[in-house]
Amino acid sequence: MLLSFFQLSLAIRNVWPQRMSLKRFIELYLLLLLAGMPVTLLSCIPYGLFGILAAVCVYGLVTYRDTAAQNVCMGMIGCVLTIVIDNFLTILLHMLIPLSFINQQYVSYGVRVIHILLFYLITLFCGRSLKKVLLSKKGVLRLQQTWYVMDAALLLLITIYLFDDLIAGQDGSVGKMIYNNALHISGYLLVMFLLLLAMRRSYLEQIQTEAKQKALRDLQDYTRNLETMYNGLRSFKHDYINILLSLSGYIEDCDMDGLKEFFESKIFPTKNLINQGDYKLNQFSNIGVLEIKSLLSAKMIYAHESGIDVTIDIPDRVESFLIDTVDLARILGIFLDNAIEAALETEQPQIGLNIIQNESGVSIIISNRFQDNGLALHKLRQKGFSTKAGHQGIGLCSAQKIISSYDNVLLETTMQCGCFIQHMELADRKE
């Protein structure tokens, strides 16, 4: 019994996606011994075997969580390999060595050692081959959802095998068979439930990771634009001295007509250049949340560079926004992307951003000019509806879904005089 569970642990260890430490290996071995008690002590073969399989799945979900889906799949493959390779070696050794010779005490120990050694080498080879193919992260195998589907399919196939072969072969009444089947189905549903929970957690973590990566890209854009503006300021500071020197020449010669002409042709046009680089970034210094600051900066700088007249008003310091920053970044990203696209369709594109800290919370107002084609406001919130060709129309619907999950967030959308306004109130939660 102890040796059989050791072989099972060894096979799972050889196919495990990550390198399994000695401590983890001992934990797995002890867990399998505990899960195998119904089989070894109570002779409950069918659902006892399923209990061992369920223990492997649970172990894969709670350890090495970064590769939970792969752990479950490779763990079940390790169980299958154990049965197949162990039976193959048993038959092979009996064919090569006479049974009367094997039954001798010292010879049987040697045969057992050879059996375990060959078992280890074969499972190690199979494990490395399977990991090279399945863990290549190519195509659909790089998606966690694919691995969870593989887990469910493999678990279902093994359960069907237990139903059709082991349970059907057990002697007993119909009631006992129904009892065994009910236990297996319950166990299967339990493991599937755990797999679905793990899939949901993986999906949420993926969304958060993508949002953080996007926030990092926005921060990089924000930093790059700051560097560009700083270099422009240094260049202007250097040129400013030369400008003063050139003016001094006209003043010393008392050439007022030449001074006037030089000022109007060379100096005055620099006003437009200075205004063009003024993105009013000093307004964003009042935002204390770095992710939101970088997102808003990158979007508004992009809008300015696209030829949109940008107005930013953040008069007070805002330290927090009272909701999850990842969700807020997704909402603001959707609103600003739509506002930029809509404003660019107008003859005089304009976008306004107002963030106001008040006693009840924070108010965020995003406004933009748009072409009023008589579109009903409620249609914009419908999933699948879009005014842009080739778009799926899920942006505003996704934003509305996020907002509806918070009881302290209120969104008011209005259209008036060719201006589209998104007014979002983030209220402070009252205890």
Side-chain angles (χ1 to χ4, degrees):
M1 178 190 74
L2 297 177
L3 193 57
S4 298
F5 285 108
F6 177 77
Q7 288 186 185
L8 177 59
S9 303
L10 201 60
I12 295 174
R13 179 258 181 198
N14 287 340
V15 300
W16 203 252
Q18 305 229 3
R19 182 177 180 85
M20 185 180 292
S21 63
L22 179 60
K23 179 182 177 182
R24 295 293 188 186
F25 179 79
I26 295 175
E27 290 176 353
L28 175 62
Y29 179 60
L30 295 177
L31 177 63
L32 293 178
L33 283 177
L34 182 63
M37 289 179 62
V39 177
T40 57
L41 300 181
L42 304 178
S43 299
C44 300
I45 304 299
Y47 56 86
L49 293 176
F50 188 86
I52 297 174
L53 184 66
V56 173
C57 295
V58 173
Y59 180 81
L61 291 174
V62 299
T63 58
Y64 305 101
R65 294 188 178 181
D66 292 339
T67 57
Q70 292 92 326
N71 296 345
V72 174
C73 183
M74 301 303 281
M76 288 190 288
I77 291 176
C79 294
V80 175
L81 281 178
T82 301
I83 297 174
V84 173
I85 296 175
D86 185 70
N87 289 333
F88 169 76
L89 290 176
T90 300
I91 296 173
L92 179 64
L93 291 175
H94 280 117
M95 291 176 58
L96 297 176
I97 304 175
L99 183 61
S100 58
F101 192 62
I102 293 178
N103 290 333
Q104 296 182 15
Q105 182 178 3
Y106 295 105
V107 175
S108 64
Y109 291 149
V111 171
R112 198 60 181 168
V113 171
I114 295 174
H115 184 281
I116 295 175
L117 181 61
L118 291 175
F119 179 86
Y120 172 77
L121 294 176
I122 295 175
T123 55
L124 184 63
F125 173 77
C126 293
R128 290 182 176 179
S129 302
L130 288 171
K131 286 189 284 187
K132 186 176 181 180
V133 174
L134 297 178
L135 302 180
S136 60
K137 294 184 179 181
K138 295 180 180 178
V140 295
L141 291 176
R142 62 184 178 85
L143 301 175
Q144 289 293 321
Q145 290 79 359
T146 302
W147 282 94
Y148 283 114
V149 172
M150 292 172 58
D151 294 342
L154 189 56
L155 184 61
L156 180 60
L157 290 175
I158 296 175
T159 304
I160 292 175
Y161 167 76
L162 293 174
F163 284 169
D164 292 344
D165 293 337
L166 293 182
I167 294 179
Q170 296 292 311
D171 295 330
S173 63
V174 175
K176 185 176 181 180
M177 292 180 62
I178 294 175
Y179 174 72
N180 289 337
N181 289 336
L183 287 176
H184 273 87
I185 293 174
S186 299
Y188 178 77
L189 293 177
L190 177 61
V191 175
M192 282 299 300
F193 176 72
L194 294 175
L195 287 175
L196 290 175
L197 288 180
M199 182 185 297
R200 180 178 180 274
R201 181 178 62 84
S202 175
Y203 175 70
L204 294 177
E205 289 179 351
Q206 181 180 352
I207 291 178
Q208 291 181 351
T209 301
E210 292 175 353
K212 290 179 180 179
Q213 290 175 348
K214 187 176 184 301
L216 179 60
R217 290 194 299 269
D218 292 335
L219 180 59
Q220 292 172 344
D221 293 338
Y222 173 59
T223 305
R224 185 165 52 251
N225 281 283
L226 280 180
E227 292 176 351
T228 302
M229 293 176 63
Y230 177 71
N231 291 332
L233 180 61
R234 290 182 59 190
S235 176
F236 176 79
K237 184 178 179 181
H238 179 268
D239 294 340
Y240 179 70
I241 299 175
N242 295 330
I243 291 173
L244 292 179
L245 293 175
S246 63
L247 289 176
S248 65
Y250 289 100
I251 295 174
E252 290 176 357
D253 296 339
C254 297
D255 185 2
M256 300 306 296
D257 293 335
L259 176 62
K260 181 180 179 181
E261 181 182 356
F262 179 77
F263 178 80
E264 291 179 350
S265 62
K266 300 296 183 180
I267 298 177
F268 187 75
T270 60
K271 175 181 72 68
N272 297 328
L273 179 62
I274 296 172
N275 290 337
Q276 183 179 4
D278 182 14
Y279 299 148
K280 302 179 182 178
L281 289 181
N282 60 316
Q283 294 278 339
F284 291 118
S285 63
N286 287 331
I287 298 180
V289 182
L290 183 59
E291 301 96 312
I292 304 303
K293 178 192 294 186
S294 59
L295 169 70
L296 295 177
S297 301
K299 295 294 183 184
M300 300 310 281
I301 290 173
Y302 172 75
H304 185 92
E305 293 176 345
S306 300
I308 301 175
D309 183 14
V310 174
T311 302
I312 303 172
D313 184 21
I314 310 174
D316 302 315
R317 180 74 177 176
V318 181
E319 293 292 347
S320 64
F321 288 90
L322 308 173
I323 68 172
D324 184 73
T325 55
V326 173
D327 289 339
L328 181 60
R330 292 174 62 193
I331 295 170
L332 294 179
I334 292 171
F335 286 171
L336 289 173
D337 287 340
N338 289 340
I340 292 172
E341 292 181 4
L344 289 174
E345 296 176 355
T346 62
E347 295 181 357
Q348 296 180 339
Q350 294 180 356
I351 285 182
L353 172 65
N354 300 81
I355 301 178
I356 303 172
Q357 177 76 62
N358 48 49
E359 294 181 357
S360 60
V362 180
S363 297
I364 302 177
I365 303 173
I366 299 174
S367 59
N368 64 276
R369 297 186 64 85
F370 75 106
Q371 286 187 347
D372 191 353
N373 298 322
L375 183 66
L377 184 60
H378 69 275
K379 288 186 177 181
L380 294 175
R381 301 191 183 98
Q382 295 177 0
K383 185 177 182 180
F385 180 84
S386 176
T387 59
K388 301 182 285 293
H391 288 247
Q392 297 179 345
I394 61 176
L396 289 176
C397 179
S398 299
Q400 187 66 42
K401 185 177 180 180
I402 297 173
I403 292 172
S404 62
S405 65
Y406 290 90
D407 57 2
N408 65 320
V409 180
L410 178 64
L411 175 66
E412 181 183 9
T413 305
T414 57
M415 294 187 299
Q416 54 184 9
C417 301
C419 188
F420 189 87
I421 303 173
Q422 298 274 26
H423 183 182
M424 187 165 56
E425 286 284 345
L426 310 177
D428 191 6
R429 293 183 178 88
K430 302 298 183 181
E431 297 297 339

